[in-house]
Amino acid sequence: MNLIDLFAIARTRSPHKPAIEFADGELRSSLTYAELFDRAERLAAGLMARGVRHGDRVAFFLGNRPEFAIAYLAVIRVGAVMVPINLRYRQREITHILQDCMPVLLITEQSQVELLEDAGADDAGDGLPDLMVVEELDAWSTSAVLESSTTEFPRVAADDLAMILYTSGTTGRSKGAMLSHNNVLATVTGLLNAWAWEQNDRLLLCLPLFHTHGLTVGLHCALAMGATVLLRSKYTPGTTIEDLLDKRTTLFFAVPTIYTRLVAELRGQDAVNLRHMRLFCSGSAPLDPETFGEFERLTGHAILERYGMTETGMNLSNLYAGPRVPGTVGVPLPGVRMRIVDGTGAGVAAGEEGELLVAGSNVFGGYWQDTEKTAASFSHDAGGAQWFRTGDLAREDPSTGYVALLGRKHELIISGGFNIYPREIEELLLTCPGIAEAAVVGRPDAEWGECPVAFIVCETPVADEILFSLCRAQLASFKTPKAIFRVESLPRNAMGKLQKHLLGDGNLAS
């Protein structure tokens, strides 16, 4: 089975049901399942007529709009590989991806053409691939040499690549994670069961489709179940709250930054009635336990936090019909196995800290054209089984089995031989009134090897001594930041994930 085979179930079962309802300001549109897949197949015929073949890469530089879904379904229908590019990327980043995966076609919007032409003119580049702007999508579909009803599409195997997702590049140049139809199917089928998806679900989706959270967790799961996607171009507080108050909406997936903003908006409103909502989910970055608690107080809903990666899809989740523990990412999803190991690769006992490894059909096949990084990303246990090294430090609760993430392995600070987990200090700083955001990184130190320093975003002025006293009172002395820098904002990527490598030793401090 491939992804098109999976989606065909909903198309056959509910052809006249809305698949995508799009709204962006005054712009409104809707596609039933029959309309969505009919347009996708016409476009697929057009792509084949213009030379797109099985295994070719097709890059997307698109915002959230129905044409994204149409074009994606068309690409995988012909056995080609979709490569979404983060819309926040600029010349250097775009050029890197285009040179790395060498797409035969780049699908974009008219408003982005000038930026892409600049990227194609880079001295190190060979120009752009063929461009298709979505404003011409219908022309590509209807002018096909062959009608889609008579086109013989190639056979697509479950192990064929469906997409190459480039990592967010928080530590350097982004790498292309190769995900097969089977990899994506594993995540989708696991989530459909773990989160009790229903056919009458209506998912409010304002996460970008170029990221695995919006694309795989959101769009794929909805189309596989036959639910309806309420697609929005972006998150806007007022509009999002209006959509959530619509009693037909049942699901909302977001990143912690959005939940923080929602809490701020809801505090200033009368009590809201969200009893019709079935599930609020958070991922892509750690959710602050205070935000978790405040959101539950304001809405009556406990956010379900989960954990995934570009390379693996989804790995762990709090239970849908069980405890949702703030500060944890729950237990392995169906089909996913995990280990927590020490520096030698030996498993640690529950309650001890180590690196989280995962295995399962959801795990990618490696990085595009980078065998060295692929090999370094996997390890083997004594029995020869292969495990993906997530690079995340974790601890499993001995009594519940729930996993708490402690931070990235490369962010671990070792000071005088003692391990310091930045997240522990960050969460403490956030308890101080007036602190909106906090990030802790290691700074080289001649005496201790490394020492922690903190970057904070303040809503109201907070004296250094208050923060130092707070840390000294509640943390070991070696964990107390040696310096505190105030910044206007913390650097984040499009999904709200903190990019600590841009903080340095205080170069962003105001």
Side-chain angles (χ1 to χ4, degrees), residues 285-319:
L287 179 68
D288 177 21
E290 287 196 10
T291 300
F292 177 98
E294 185 71 353
F295 187 84
E296 185 172 18
R297 184 187 70 78
L298 290 167
T299 67
H301 286 275
I303 299 169
L304 184 150
E305 192 169 4
R306 55 79 182 159
Y307 163 68
M309 300 184 71
T310 301
E311 294 91 340
T312 64
M314 297 304 107
N315 298 314
L316 290 87
S317 172
N318 273 250
L319 297 177

Side-chain angles (χ1 to χ4, degrees), residues 148-299:
S148 60
S149 59
T150 60
T151 299
E152 289 189 13
F153 295 113
R155 176 179 176 272
V156 180
D159 287 331
D160 287 344
L161 287 187
M163 59 186 73
I164 298 175
L165 300 183
Y166 277 79
T167 60
S168 54
T170 56
T171 58
R173 283 292 183 96
S174 57
K175 305 179 292 292
M178 299 185 293
L179 293 160
S180 69
H181 286 253
N182 256 345
N183 295 148
V184 181
L185 279 163
T187 283
V188 170
T189 54
L191 290 179
L192 292 182
N193 287 283
W195 294 352
W197 276 79
E198 303 171 1
Q199 289 183 53
N200 62 355
D201 273 327
R202 290 169 61 86
L203 168 67
L204 177 59
L205 184 59
C206 55
L207 294 170
L209 293 177
F210 57 68
H211 189 274
T212 188
H213 196 165
L215 179 64
T216 306
V217 181
L219 181 66
H220 278 76
C221 284
L223 295 183
M225 176 49 65
T228 298
V229 178
L230 309 176
L231 185 63
R232 303 296 181 257
S233 61
K234 60 183 178 180
Y235 164 78
T236 51
T239 303
T240 299
I241 291 174
E242 287 181 13
D243 285 330
L244 290 174
L245 290 173
D246 184 333
K247 289 184 167 48
R248 297 174 299 164
T249 306
T250 62
L251 303 175
F252 183 65
F253 301 160
V255 296
T257 302
I258 289 179
Y259 281 112
T260 300
R261 293 172 182 171
L262 271 178
V263 164
E265 287 288 322
L266 293 171
R267 281 196 190 110
Q269 299 193 14
D270 296 332
V272 294
N273 179 4
L274 296 176
R275 286 193 293 271
H276 57 279
M277 290 293 297
R278 190 172 70 75
L279 179 64
F280 287 91
C281 182
S282 178
S284 298
L287 179 68
D288 177 21
E290 287 196 10
T291 300
F292 177 98
E294 185 71 353
F295 187 84
E296 185 172 18
R297 184 187 70 78
L298 290 167
T299 67

